[in-house]
Amino acid sequence: MGRSSLKIAIVRSSLHRGSGQAVHIRELSKGLLKLGHEVHIFSRSIEDETLRGIGHETKFTLDGVPFIRHFGFAASIVRAVRDFDLVHTQYHPSIIAGNWIHKIRGLPHVFTYHGFAPIRFWNNPFQKLKMIDHRVGTYFSLRLGLDRIIAVSHFLKRELVRNYRIEEQLIEVIYNGVDLERFNPRADGRKVREMYGIGSDPLVMFIGRLTPYKGVQFLLQGIPDVLKEVPEAKFMFVGSSRFDAPRIGQLLSDARVRKAAIFTGYVADRMLPQLYASCDVFCYPSLWEGFGLTPAEAQAAGKPVVAFETC
């Protein structure tokens, strides 16, 4: 490596397959590696197979104890991150690990803020408590051992200034990027249409986690109205579901909706360009986003995007 190259530790407590932040970290790492830097990713759980080549899973006691495990994870990262030039943390509780490394090892600490969906959007009491924990923990951690904060949108920068009382000059806005070599109008979606028996029917697509705040219920509720105008239309929902089964059943009570809706479950990242290419319209009715990555990918693929103006 050249004299100006850095050895960088990127830390996030968990990296779920298909998550937007896993994509963010993967693309950031690729960019840093191209610039000649050495990159290592540290996490307690790396589900995303595209990150395992440069990823390190840390093990620690009390991993199964909610909330308390934040500090076990932070301690494991302090032990693992030695002889680095920079630590870059993502989300809570990874920021705690960055705070400790900054104080103990004197390393520069950069934190990327992706935001938190409002608590009112979560139905599960434990999930609500988890979101409160993330927000409170982030509020205090932002004041302990940070050199710079990256917000992935101006909306989130305003949130940091307004809700977390962070000085503007500490925050840099850097949008999430899209790989235009992968996502472009040249991709071929015919295999996807063949795989799901869509043929030449008009196709509306949603890609993302099937959670209430992503707004998939509104798209499902709107299907009967669309079918009145375009009876042959199909609607594809790509992503793992976190809805309760009874709620899905209620939304699919109409036989016409069941016939028109296609649920793929989780689909490997390598299939995304073909998925975007297969659709005619991309619909993303999310109620909240820090930066919606899939609408940007769909636009790069040359598809019209329908979305709420939520942020």
Side-chain angles (χ1 to χ4, degrees):
M1 293 188 297
R3 290 177 60 188
S4 61
S5 62
L6 299 174
K7 186 177 180 182
I8 302 169
I10 298 178
V11 183
R12 195 190 189 284
S13 57
S14 58
L15 290 165
H16 302 297
R17 62 180 188 175
S19 75
Q21 289 188 41
V23 173
H24 169 95
I25 290 173
R26 182 189 69 217
E27 295 304 311
L28 173 63
S29 301
K30 284 167 56 178
L32 291 170
L33 288 166
K34 283 183 180 179
L35 292 172
H37 301 296
E38 181 180 343
V39 179
H40 296 263
I41 298 169
F42 295 89
S43 178
R44 54 180 287 272
S45 173
I46 302 177
E47 294 178 6
D48 191 300
E49 61 276 5
T50 65
L51 294 171
R52 289 189 177 144
I54 54 174
H56 308 272
E57 288 190 341
T58 61
K59 304 300 179 184
F60 55 94
T61 57
L62 302 177
D63 188 13
V65 183
F67 311 119
I68 294 175
R69 71 183 182 188
H70 298 343
F71 304 102
F73 173 70
S76 73
I77 296 300
V78 172
R79 289 193 297 269
V81 177
R82 298 174 181 271
D83 302 319
F84 280 77
D85 299 303
L86 173 72
V87 60
H88 182 179
T89 60
Q90 311 254 347
Y91 212 66
H92 179 270
S94 304
I95 187 174
I96 299 173
N99 294 152
W100 289 11
I101 291 170
H102 180 83
K103 295 292 186 183
I104 295 170
R105 306 214 186 281
L107 294 187
H109 176 203
V110 176
F111 171 66
T112 292
Y113 181 63
H114 297 273
F116 304 108
I119 295 167
R120 67 180 183 276
F121 292 149
W122 299 98
N123 298 321
N124 184 296
F126 178 77
Q127 191 65 45
K128 286 180 180 287
L129 185 60
K130 186 177 177 181
M131 286 296 106
I132 293 171
D133 168 65
H134 284 342
R135 287 176 176 274
V136 173
T138 299
Y139 181 89
F140 288 104
S141 295
L142 286 170
R143 288 152 174 77
L144 300 170
L146 263 173
D147 293 282
R148 201 73 169 170
I149 300 169
I150 297 171
V152 297
S153 66
H154 284 282
F155 163 72
L156 289 180
K157 179 178 180 177
R158 292 193 297 270
E159 183 175 276
L160 284 166
V161 173
R162 182 180 64 248
N163 296 346
Y164 292 91
R165 302 293 189 264
I166 301 300
E167 296 180 2
E168 285 194 49
Q169 58 267 31
L170 190 64
I171 308 166
E172 191 77 30
V173 175
I174 302 177
Y175 289 115
N176 288 328
V178 174
D179 185 349
L180 298 181
E181 292 296 319
R182 293 189 67 213
F183 302 106
N184 57 67
R186 299 188 300 275
D188 189 343
R190 286 176 293 183
K191 285 186 178 179
V192 172
R193 285 180 168 269
E194 291 172 8
M195 186 186 309
Y196 293 99
I198 297 167
S200 60
D201 291 343
L203 178 61
V204 178
M205 182 172 289
F206 168 90
I207 298 178
R209 288 178 299 158
L210 274 61
T211 57
Y213 85 83
K214 292 292 185 181
V216 290
Q217 64 271 29
F218 302 119
L219 180 52
L220 283 166
Q221 290 165 0
I223 288 177
D225 292 328
V226 176
L227 292 177
K228 289 177 183 177
E229 302 294 329
V230 189
E232 68 276 19
K234 297 293 186 295
F235 301 81
M236 183 177 287
F237 298 83
V238 181
S240 56
S241 175
R242 293 192 181 182
F243 271 108
D244 294 331
R247 188 168 185 184
I248 284 283
Q250 291 172 3
L251 293 169
L252 295 174
S253 59
D254 188 321
R256 295 172 302 164
V257 174
R258 287 198 302 273
K259 184 177 179 181
I262 302 166
F263 292 86
T264 68
Y266 170 76
V267 173
D269 178 80
R270 65 180 180 276
M271 289 292 296
L272 288 179
Q274 297 174 55
L275 284 163
Y276 287 118
S278 71
C279 75
D280 297 290
V281 176
F282 185 81
C283 184
Y284 200 71
S286 182
L287 295 170
W288 182 92
E289 290 294 328
F291 182 105
L293 189 57
T294 53
E297 291 173 345
Q299 287 180 312
K303 301 300 176 179
V305 174
V306 178
F308 287 159
E309 187 179 0
T310 54
C311 300

